[in-house]
Amino acid sequence: MADLKFSKDHEWVRLEGNVATVGITDHAQTALGDVVFVDLPEAGREVAAGEAIAVVESVKAASDVYAPVAGTIVESNGALADDPSLVNGAAQSDGWFFRIELSNPDELDGLMDAAAYQAFVDSQS
Amino acid sequence: MAEILSDSPLLETPLAPLHRELGGKMVPFAGYSMPVQYPAGILAEHLATRQGATLFDVSHMGQVELRGEGAAEALERLTPADVKILKPGRQKYGLLTTEAGGVLDDFMVANLGDRLFLVLNASRKDVDCAAIEAALPAGVTLHRMPDRALLAFQGPAAVPSLATLAPAVAALPFMGVAAAEIAGIPVLVSRSGYTGEDGVEISVAADRAEDLARTLLALPGASIAGLGARDSLRLEAGLCLYGNDIDETTSPVEAGLTWTVGKRRRTEWNFPGAERIREELDNGPKRLRVGILPEGRQPARAHTAIAVGGETVGEVTSGTFGPSLNGPCAMGYVAREHAADGTALELMVRGKAIPARVAATPFIPHRYAR
């Protein structure tokens, strides 16, 4: 997990080359509860940092998922359509949401490391 | 779920320590701190209710008694229900109505022989009690029972397992009410609930509530469930939630609850809102509450606009993902010409039109005791 970065919107980001894989954090999936539906962005869509581009629905509520960095969507996780519960069972691995080709890699500097994110979560509870 | 938010501190039920011990996730609901779910989660708690037996704390609901000669007649001043016809040991569902023909609250009333016992919504109990007290004649008195807890024990295994401790409970018919003893604890049991399943609701002294809850949770196949599962269960069962699906703006006729208007009351027309209700019974209401099944898996939540051919024809009042249905379900109001089962609708979810259709409720068949 050391290579993951985290946003204040409770997303995680893993960078490989110029492509960032994005999902919601384990903390976020616990707060949401049982995930029953995920709406994901189409490949090729250009997104701005902070733009709401995906929706995750649990039995009790719907939440937006934001693009933590700007860029172009290269892939979404089709496995979530068949099995949304992957978000609960493997939030920070197989339950990833989408991959973004970064237009501005410097934006990653604004994200937190694991320790800083944990401190952020603790400060909110 | 409608939440009543205010600056006043949240109230707790007598089971608050048990909720904390069991890992309940507490949320504000109608002025109370209530468990929305436990570590098992809403999905598991919902399915456990349909398959076995689950315990819900519903002590936030109002419990009151009407005592004195003429109590049933007095209550009929506030409701179109036929209360006088209710035999001792029987309970019924009814609506308190407003002068404008809206719904002040929905409630349960039981005939306990020498008095009536009412269960009211937490968010409405103060409003209800004020309205009832204002209508009472001399000799009939309202008694609030803040020292009572209310537990719901629901699911196909609930009554069979409870009967090992209190055999008389198994003999209660649906909507039957009786005093009983469970493991030495005096209770008032009714064969009713809000899940669509067989089960009971148990009124118990607040200081015995935790004992009773632990006794029920120790029964084979029993587990705890929170308000989240209660909401998805009642919605699959097609049951209204006050504040979402019915309120002071919705009439009993629009809500599809005309069956709560007693036959005798339809000859007397002497209840609040009788004029509007009679007019709507004669000519049909402008809109109707309907069940709605969206296509796909995305739930449409309360306040989602409903359209036909691009034109708004109504609004979703409750919507969720139904765990037993394994798909989304909702209810809402549509203009009467679009209310027939099978009518194609569009639900405007986050700017996208999701196809849906009007569907009969309950979405999951009721399995009440006969």
Side-chain angles (χ1 to χ4, degrees):
Chain A
M1 298 287 176
D3 57 338
L4 297 189
K5 298 277 194 183
F6 299 87
S7 77
K8 287 187 173 176
D9 295 317
H10 303 286
E11 288 123 11
W12 58 264
V13 175
R14 189 180 64 233
L15 189 67
E16 286 152 301
N18 197 36
V19 174
T21 301
V22 179
I24 67 167
T25 65
D26 197 53
H27 169 75
Q29 72 78 16
T30 302
L32 273 172
D34 303 302
V35 172
V36 295
F37 175 81
V38 179
D39 188 36
L40 297 169
E42 301 271 324
R45 176 170 165 187
E46 295 202 10
V47 299
E51 185 181 349
I53 60 169
V55 178
V56 56
E57 301 249 9
S58 67
V59 177
K60 65 173 184 278
S63 296
D64 284 311
V65 179
Y66 303 92
V69 289
T72 305
I73 302 293
V74 292
E75 187 185 2
S76 283
N77 186 359
L80 296 186
D82 299 329
D83 185 9
S85 71
L86 272 177
V87 178
N88 296 116
Q92 295 184 192
S93 55
D94 291 348
W96 62 277
F97 277 47
F98 44 81
R99 296 199 162 107
I100 301 180
E101 187 169 354
L102 303 187
S103 54
N104 179 8
D106 291 346
E107 281 178 345
L108 288 178
D109 297 342
L111 300 176
M112 294 174 274
D113 63 17
Y117 176 66
Q118 188 58 51
F120 171 69
V121 168
D122 292 345
S123 75
Q124 291 211 308
S125 61
Chain B
M1 283 177 287
E3 291 180 1
I4 306 301
L5 300 172
S6 75
D7 294 333
S8 51
L10 292 174
L11 302 170
E12 288 192 333
T13 76
L15 294 187
L18 182 64
H19 297 316
R20 281 193 286 271
E21 180 185 316
L22 296 175
K25 183 174 171 183
M26 308 305 285
V27 299
F29 183 81
Y32 286 77
S33 173
M34 296 300 291
V36 66
Q37 65 169 82
Y38 298 85
I42 295 175
L43 218 59
E45 292 164 24
H46 176 115
L47 295 173
T49 309
R50 295 257 186 262
Q51 286 156 13
T54 57
L55 181 70
F56 299 84
D57 178 16
V58 290
S59 302
H60 57 314
M61 301 193 80
Q63 300 181 64
V64 305
E65 284 183 353
L66 279 179
R67 300 179 199 157
E69 197 74 38
E73 194 157 9
L75 185 57
E76 286 192 356
R77 295 181 181 183
L78 294 144
T79 174
D82 189 341
V83 183
K84 287 197 274 189
I85 205 173
L86 199 57
K87 293 186 169 65
R90 300 292 300 170
Q91 173 176 268
K92 69 161 54 175
Y93 173 80
L95 304 174
L96 301 175
T97 46
T98 68
E99 287 298 336
V103 180
L104 190 74
D105 197 6
D106 61 345
F107 70 107
M108 287 285 198
V109 54
N111 181 346
L112 301 185
D114 59 345
R115 61 200 193 277
L116 297 177
F117 173 65
L118 277 69
V119 177
L120 310 166
N121 278 302
S123 63
R124 301 298 286 178
K125 57 190 179 187
D126 293 339
V127 172
D128 297 345
C129 286
I132 294 169
E133 278 183 322
L136 291 183
V140 181
T141 50
L142 176 84
H143 300 265
R144 299 184 67 149
M145 306 163 81
D147 55 346
R148 303 286 289 183
L150 192 65
L151 307 186
F153 194 46
Q154 300 281 300
V159 167
S161 62
L162 180 55
T164 62
L165 301 175
V169 172
L172 274 181
F174 181 59
M175 291 295 214
V177 185
E181 237 181 51
I182 300 172
I185 304 169
V187 295
L188 181 71
V189 183
S190 77
R191 192 103 180 234
S192 57
Y194 194 46
T195 62
E197 299 296 326
D198 185 19
V200 291
E201 293 172 303
I202 308 170
S203 173
V204 60
D207 61 3
R208 306 300 302 275
E210 189 174 327
D211 278 352
L212 177 63
R214 288 184 190 279
T215 300
L216 296 174
L217 287 172
L219 290 169
S223 56
I224 191 94
L227 292 188
R230 185 170 157 84
D231 190 54
S232 55
L233 287 158
R234 70 91 193 167
L235 187 44
E236 283 186 342
L239 302 172
C240 290
L241 172 63
Y242 192 90
N244 276 43
D245 310 305
I246 46 176
D247 60 27
E248 291 193 24
T249 70
T250 61
S251 79
V253 185
E254 291 175 332
L257 298 173
T258 52
W259 60 272
T260 67
V261 181
K263 196 183 265 183
R264 171 175 53 84
R265 309 305 306 280
R266 294 185 203 200
T267 63
E268 300 170 339
W269 305 109
N270 58 353
F271 48 84
E275 196 178 337
R276 174 178 174 186
I277 290 166
R278 185 174 192 174
E279 195 277 328
E280 289 183 351
L281 283 171
D282 287 346
N283 302 316
K286 289 190 178 61
R287 57 177 185 165
L288 274 170
R289 183 177 62 91
V290 294
I292 299 165
L293 288 175
E295 282 180 21
R297 287 180 64 85
Q298 184 168 22
R301 311 284 176 177
H303 307 302
T304 298
I306 303 172
V308 171
E311 191 184 330
T312 301
V313 298
E315 189 179 273
V316 171
T317 51
S318 287
T320 191
F321 186 89
S324 301
L325 207 55
N326 193 29
C329 57
M331 59 173 85
Y333 286 83
V334 294
R336 181 156 53 104
E337 58 269 33
H338 302 295
D341 285 352
T343 303
L345 305 174
E346 297 130 35
L347 306 177
M348 306 310 292
V349 178
R350 290 165 179 266
K352 287 187 209 166
I354 294 181
R357 62 187 166 79
V358 176
T361 58
F363 301 116
I364 297 291
H366 294 160
R367 296 193 293 177
Y368 300 137
R370 281 175 224 274

